[in-house]
Amino acid sequence: MPLQQRLLALAQTLQFAWFVGHLTLLFCAFRYGLSYITFNFYSKWAMFFYRTSFVAAAATYGIVVFKAYRARARAGKGQGGGLALAGDENVQYLAMALVWLFSRQMPLAILPFAVYSVFHVATYTRSNLLPTIQPPQQEAAPGSKPKASGMSDTIGKFVKEYYDSSMTLVAVLEIVLWVRILGSAMLFQKGSWILLAIYTVFARARYSQSSFVQGAISQLAARGDAVVNNQSTPPAARNAWETLKRLARQATDATDPSKYVGGQQQAGPKKAQ
Protein backbone atom coordinates (compact mmCIF):
# COMPACT_ATOMS: atom_id res chain seq x y z
CA MET A 1 0.00 0.00 0.00
CA PRO A 2 1.41 3.46 -0.89
CA LEU A 3 2.57 5.71 1.94
CA GLN A 4 -0.20 8.25 1.35
CA GLN A 5 -2.91 5.61 1.71
CA ARG A 6 -1.27 4.18 4.83
CA LEU A 7 -1.14 7.61 6.44
CA LEU A 8 -4.73 8.35 5.42
CA ALA A 9 -5.93 5.08 6.94
CA LEU A 10 -4.03 5.88 10.15
CA ALA A 11 -5.45 9.41 10.34
CA GLN A 12 -9.00 8.09 10.17
CA THR A 13 -8.69 6.21 13.46
CA LEU A 14 -9.84 7.50 16.82
CA GLN A 15 -6.45 6.68 18.25
CA PHE A 16 -4.84 9.14 15.83
CA ALA A 17 -7.15 11.89 17.13
CA TRP A 18 -5.95 10.94 20.63
CA PHE A 19 -2.35 11.29 19.42
CA VAL A 20 -3.04 14.71 17.86
CA GLY A 21 -4.65 15.79 21.12
CA HIS A 22 -1.50 14.96 23.07
CA LEU A 23 0.66 16.73 20.48
CA THR A 24 -1.56 19.78 20.78
CA LEU A 25 -1.30 19.67 24.55
CA LEU A 26 2.51 19.55 24.40
CA PHE A 27 2.71 22.42 21.92
CA CYS A 28 0.31 24.60 23.94
CA ALA A 29 2.08 23.79 27.21
CA PHE A 30 5.42 24.72 25.64
CA ARG A 31 4.04 27.94 24.19
CA TYR A 32 2.40 28.88 27.48
CA GLY A 33 5.64 28.09 29.28
CA LEU A 34 7.45 30.64 27.11
CA SER A 35 4.85 33.25 28.04
CA TYR A 36 5.18 32.34 31.70
CA ILE A 37 8.95 32.68 31.91
CA THR A 38 8.73 36.04 30.12
CA PHE A 39 6.05 37.21 32.60
CA ASN A 40 3.37 37.48 29.91
CA PHE A 41 1.11 34.79 31.36
CA TYR A 42 -1.95 37.05 31.36
CA SER A 43 -1.61 38.06 27.73
CA LYS A 44 -4.28 37.11 25.22
CA TRP A 45 -2.17 34.39 23.58
CA ALA A 46 -0.96 32.98 26.88
CA MET A 47 -4.54 32.58 28.05
CA PHE A 48 -5.44 30.96 24.73
CA PHE A 49 -2.67 28.38 24.96
CA TYR A 50 -3.40 27.73 28.64
CA ARG A 51 -7.07 26.98 27.99
CA THR A 52 -6.36 25.03 24.82
CA SER A 53 -3.98 22.76 26.77
CA PHE A 54 -6.86 21.62 28.92
CA VAL A 55 -9.24 21.37 25.98
CA ALA A 56 -6.73 18.98 24.41
CA ALA A 57 -6.33 17.09 27.70
CA ALA A 58 -10.09 16.71 28.08
CA ALA A 59 -10.37 15.51 24.47
CA THR A 60 -7.65 12.86 24.84
CA TYR A 61 -8.97 11.41 28.08
CA GLY A 62 -12.50 11.68 26.76
CA ILE A 63 -11.50 9.53 23.79
CA VAL A 64 -10.05 6.88 26.11
CA VAL A 65 -13.18 6.85 28.27
CA PHE A 66 -15.38 6.60 25.17
CA LYS A 67 -13.34 3.72 23.73
CA ALA A 68 -13.54 1.82 27.01
CA TYR A 69 -17.31 2.39 27.16
CA ARG A 70 -17.74 1.23 23.56
CA ALA A 71 -15.60 -1.87 24.15
CA ARG A 72 -17.68 -2.89 27.18
CA ALA A 73 -20.92 -2.24 25.29
CA ARG A 74 -19.83 -4.39 22.35
CA ALA A 75 -18.79 -7.17 24.72
CA GLY A 76 -22.18 -7.01 26.41
CA LYS A 77 -20.65 -6.11 29.75
CA GLY A 78 -22.22 -3.70 32.21
CA GLN A 79 -20.79 -0.22 32.58
CA GLY A 80 -20.66 -0.46 36.38
CA GLY A 81 -22.01 2.00 38.90
CA GLY A 82 -20.91 5.46 39.87
CA LEU A 83 -18.10 4.24 42.12
CA ALA A 84 -16.67 2.09 39.33
CA LEU A 85 -16.78 5.06 36.98
CA ALA A 86 -15.17 7.37 39.53
CA GLY A 87 -12.45 4.77 40.11
CA ASP A 88 -11.31 4.94 36.48
CA GLU A 89 -8.09 6.97 36.26
CA ASN A 90 -9.01 8.27 32.83
CA VAL A 91 -12.35 9.57 34.15
CA GLN A 92 -10.51 11.26 37.00
CA TYR A 93 -8.08 13.05 34.70
CA LEU A 94 -10.90 13.96 32.31
CA ALA A 95 -12.78 15.54 35.22
CA MET A 96 -9.71 17.44 36.41
CA ALA A 97 -8.96 18.70 32.90
CA LEU A 98 -12.47 20.16 32.77
CA VAL A 99 -12.07 21.64 36.25
CA TRP A 100 -8.82 23.36 35.28
CA LEU A 101 -10.31 24.51 31.99
CA PHE A 102 -12.95 26.55 33.81
CA SER A 103 -10.88 27.56 36.85
CA ARG A 104 -8.53 30.48 37.22
CA GLN A 105 -4.99 30.10 35.95
CA MET A 106 -2.68 27.80 37.87
CA PRO A 107 0.37 27.08 35.67
CA LEU A 108 1.53 24.12 37.73
CA ALA A 109 -1.65 22.23 36.77
CA ILE A 110 -0.45 21.82 33.17
CA LEU A 111 2.75 19.98 34.05
CA PRO A 112 1.37 16.53 35.07
CA PHE A 113 -0.69 16.38 31.87
CA ALA A 114 2.33 17.43 29.81
CA VAL A 115 4.56 14.72 31.32
CA TYR A 116 1.97 12.07 30.51
CA SER A 117 1.65 13.44 26.98
CA VAL A 118 5.38 13.08 26.36
CA PHE A 119 5.16 9.33 26.94
CA HIS A 120 1.86 8.91 25.11
CA VAL A 121 3.26 10.67 22.03
CA ALA A 122 6.49 8.67 22.21
CA THR A 123 4.66 5.35 22.55
CA TYR A 124 2.23 6.09 19.72
CA THR A 125 5.07 7.23 17.45
CA ARG A 126 6.96 4.01 18.10
CA SER A 127 3.98 1.65 17.87
CA ASN A 128 1.91 3.24 15.11
CA LEU A 129 3.47 6.17 13.28
CA LEU A 130 6.94 4.81 12.50
CA PRO A 131 5.69 1.39 11.28
CA THR A 132 3.21 3.21 9.03
CA ILE A 133 5.85 5.49 7.51
CA GLN A 134 8.46 2.76 7.19
CA PRO A 135 7.01 -0.74 7.57
CA PRO A 136 9.57 -3.10 9.15
CA GLN A 137 11.16 -5.61 6.83
CA GLN A 138 10.48 -9.26 7.64
CA GLU A 139 13.62 -11.28 8.20
CA ALA A 140 14.32 -14.21 5.97
CA ALA A 141 13.96 -16.77 8.75
CA PRO A 142 10.31 -17.88 9.05
CA GLY A 143 8.57 -16.86 12.25
CA SER A 144 11.22 -14.26 13.13
CA LYS A 145 10.26 -10.83 14.37
CA PRO A 146 10.49 -7.85 12.01
CA LYS A 147 13.53 -5.73 12.76
CA ALA A 148 12.67 -2.42 14.42
CA SER A 149 14.17 0.85 13.15
CA GLY A 150 16.89 2.68 15.02
CA MET A 151 14.51 5.49 15.97
CA SER A 152 12.01 2.97 17.31
CA ASP A 153 14.71 1.42 19.48
CA THR A 154 15.77 4.85 20.74
CA ILE A 155 12.20 5.75 21.71
CA GLY A 156 11.74 2.38 23.41
CA LYS A 157 14.91 2.88 25.47
CA PHE A 158 13.82 6.40 26.41
CA VAL A 159 10.43 5.22 27.64
CA LYS A 160 11.92 2.29 29.55
CA GLU A 161 14.66 4.40 31.17
CA TYR A 162 12.66 7.45 32.18
CA TYR A 163 9.10 6.20 32.73
CA ASP A 164 9.35 5.41 36.45
CA SER A 165 11.23 8.59 37.33
CA SER A 166 8.77 10.67 35.29
CA MET A 167 5.77 9.09 37.02
CA THR A 168 7.42 9.91 40.35
CA LEU A 169 7.82 13.47 39.09
CA VAL A 170 4.11 13.58 38.26
CA ALA A 171 3.28 12.34 41.77
CA VAL A 172 5.46 15.06 43.32
CA LEU A 173 3.92 17.71 41.07
CA GLU A 174 0.43 16.65 42.11
CA ILE A 175 1.37 16.83 45.80
CA VAL A 176 2.95 20.28 45.33
CA LEU A 177 -0.15 21.38 43.43
CA TRP A 178 -2.36 20.33 46.36
CA VAL A 179 -0.17 22.39 48.70
CA ARG A 180 -0.40 25.32 46.29
CA ILE A 181 -4.21 25.12 46.28
CA LEU A 182 -4.22 24.83 50.08
CA GLY A 183 -2.19 28.04 50.24
CA SER A 184 -4.73 29.79 48.03
CA ALA A 185 -7.53 28.55 50.26
CA MET A 186 -5.77 29.83 53.38
CA LEU A 187 -5.64 33.25 51.71
CA PHE A 188 -9.35 32.95 50.88
CA GLN A 189 -8.88 33.48 47.17
CA LYS A 190 -12.08 33.27 45.18
CA GLY A 191 -13.24 29.70 44.58
CA SER A 192 -10.15 28.22 46.22
CA TRP A 193 -12.01 26.21 48.90
CA ILE A 194 -14.22 24.54 46.30
CA LEU A 195 -11.16 23.79 44.19
CA LEU A 196 -9.36 22.42 47.25
CA ALA A 197 -12.25 20.06 48.01
CA ILE A 198 -12.35 18.80 44.41
CA TYR A 199 -8.61 18.35 44.15
CA THR A 200 -8.42 16.63 47.55
CA VAL A 201 -10.89 14.00 46.31
CA PHE A 202 -8.77 13.58 43.17
CA ALA A 203 -5.54 13.33 45.20
CA ARG A 204 -7.08 10.73 47.52
CA ALA A 205 -8.07 8.64 44.52
CA ARG A 206 -4.56 8.94 43.11
CA TYR A 207 -3.10 7.79 46.42
CA SER A 208 -5.33 4.70 46.34
CA GLN A 209 -4.35 3.77 42.80
CA SER A 210 -0.80 4.95 42.23
CA SER A 211 2.24 3.35 43.82
CA PHE A 212 4.22 6.40 42.66
CA VAL A 213 2.02 8.75 44.72
CA GLN A 214 2.30 6.43 47.71
CA GLY A 215 6.08 6.34 47.32
CA ALA A 216 6.35 10.12 47.00
CA ILE A 217 4.30 10.66 50.17
CA SER A 218 6.35 8.05 52.04
CA GLN A 219 9.55 9.83 51.02
CA LEU A 220 8.08 13.16 52.12
CA ALA A 221 7.09 11.69 55.48
CA ALA A 222 10.56 10.17 55.93
CA ARG A 223 12.22 13.51 55.24
CA GLY A 224 9.88 15.18 57.70
CA ASP A 225 10.79 12.58 60.33
CA ALA A 226 14.48 13.20 59.73
CA VAL A 227 14.02 16.94 60.21
CA VAL A 228 11.92 16.78 63.40
CA ASN A 229 14.12 14.09 64.96
CA ASN A 230 17.04 16.49 64.88
CA GLN A 231 18.05 17.52 68.39
CA SER A 232 17.72 21.20 67.48
CA THR A 233 14.02 20.79 66.62
CA PRO A 234 11.75 22.32 69.30
CA PRO A 235 9.45 19.82 71.06
CA ALA A 236 6.42 21.83 69.94
CA ALA A 237 7.36 21.34 66.28
CA ARG A 238 7.93 17.62 66.87
CA ASN A 239 4.51 17.26 68.49
CA ALA A 240 2.85 19.22 65.69
CA TRP A 241 4.44 16.93 63.10
CA GLU A 242 3.28 13.79 64.91
CA THR A 243 -0.23 15.24 65.21
CA LEU A 244 -0.26 16.05 61.50
CA LYS A 245 0.79 12.51 60.61
CA ARG A 246 -1.85 11.01 62.90
CA LEU A 247 -4.59 13.16 61.38
CA ALA A 248 -3.42 12.26 57.89
CA ARG A 249 -3.55 8.53 58.71
CA GLN A 250 -7.02 8.89 60.20
CA ALA A 251 -8.25 10.79 57.14
CA THR A 252 -6.72 8.17 54.84
CA ASP A 253 -8.39 5.32 56.74
CA ALA A 254 -11.74 7.11 56.85
CA THR A 255 -11.72 7.66 53.07
CA ASP A 256 -10.51 4.20 52.08
CA PRO A 257 -12.63 3.30 49.01
CA SER A 258 -12.57 -0.41 49.87
CA LYS A 259 -14.79 0.32 52.87
CA TYR A 260 -17.53 1.55 50.56
CA VAL A 261 -17.31 -0.95 47.70
CA GLY A 262 -17.13 -4.02 49.90
CA GLY A 263 -13.74 -5.20 48.83
CA GLN A 264 -10.21 -4.22 48.09
CA GLN A 265 -9.93 -1.61 45.39
CA GLN A 266 -8.25 -2.83 42.30
CA ALA A 267 -5.54 -0.89 40.54
CA GLY A 268 -6.79 1.62 38.02
CA PRO A 269 -6.58 0.91 34.32
CA LYS A 270 -3.62 1.93 32.28
CA LYS A 271 -3.96 5.26 30.63
CA ALA A 272 -4.84 5.53 26.96
CA GLN A 273 -4.53 2.10 25.42
Side-chain angles (χ1 to χ4, degrees):
M1 183 184 294
L3 175 61
Q4 184 177 0
Q5 293 183 15
R6 296 199 303 270
L7 290 174
L8 183 60
L10 184 68
Q12 292 175 342
T13 63
L14 198 57
Q15 194 74 357
F16 184 78
W18 170 87
F19 168 70
V20 171
H22 281 295
L23 272 181
T24 303
L25 194 159
L26 285 176
F27 172 76
C28 291
F30 173 75
R31 184 59 183 81
Y32 176 76
L34 292 179
S35 298
Y36 185 81
I37 62 178
T38 55
F39 303 100
N40 291 320
F41 40 86
Y42 285 116
S43 67
K44 178 181 177 181
W45 280 110
M47 293 294 293
F48 171 79
F49 287 117
Y50 179 84
R51 301 298 176 191
T52 305
S53 296
F54 291 112
V55 171
T60 56
Y61 286 100
I63 287 173
V64 178
V65 171
F66 170 74
K67 288 180 65 178
Y69 174 88
R70 186 176 62 180
R72 289 193 297 267
R74 288 178 175 176
K77 297 180 179 178
Q79 299 299 329
L83 283 176
L85 186 65
D88 187 330
E89 291 183 0
N90 294 300
V91 173
Q92 295 163 11
Y93 277 98
L94 169 60
M96 283 311 306
L98 293 173
V99 168
W100 292 123
L101 175 61
F102 296 106
S103 300
R104 62 184 180 83
Q105 270 196 70
M106 195 164 290
L108 187 60
I110 295 180
L111 296 181
F113 289 96
V115 174
Y116 281 129
S117 288
V118 168
F119 287 92
H120 289 320
V121 168
T123 302
Y124 183 89
T125 300
R126 180 173 183 261
S127 303
N128 299 85
L129 194 58
L130 289 179
T132 300
I133 296 174
Q134 187 178 9
Q137 299 295 322
Q138 184 71 38
E139 296 291 335
S144 61
K145 273 188 169 183
K147 186 178 180 181
S149 66
M151 183 177 293
S152 178
D153 288 339
T154 300
I155 294 174
K157 290 177 182 177
F158 168 81
V159 171
K160 184 177 180 180
E161 183 174 355
Y162 293 104
Y163 181 81
D164 284 354
S165 58
S166 296
M167 294 305 100
T168 299
L169 173 62
V170 168
V172 172
L173 288 171
E174 290 175 343
I175 294 169
V176 173
L177 183 54
W178 184 86
V179 175
R180 170 69 178 82
I181 299 170
L182 177 62
S184 297
M186 297 299 290
L187 295 174
F188 293 97
Q189 295 182 357
K190 184 178 179 181
S192 57
W193 281 101
I194 296 175
L195 183 59
L196 177 63
I198 294 173
Y199 198 77
T200 298
V201 173
F202 170 78
R204 180 61 182 90
R206 299 297 304 128
Y207 180 81
S208 296
Q209 297 171 318
S210 172
S211 60
F212 296 104
V213 175
Q214 295 169 13
I217 291 179
S218 296
Q219 290 180 11
L220 179 63
R223 291 184 181 183
D225 288 339
V227 171
V228 300
N229 288 334
N230 192 294
Q231 292 183 352
S232 61
T233 303
R238 190 176 296 114
N239 292 335
W241 174 248
E242 293 300 328
T243 300
L244 178 62
K245 287 199 301 180
R246 185 178 70 255
L247 291 174
R249 283 193 296 267
Q250 290 174 353
T252 301
D253 292 340
T255 55
D256 186 355
S258 64
K259 292 183 178 180
Y260 306 101
V261 297
Q264 193 171 19
Q265 177 139 347
Q266 296 180 357
K270 293 181 179 179
K271 294 181 181 63
Q273 297 299 311

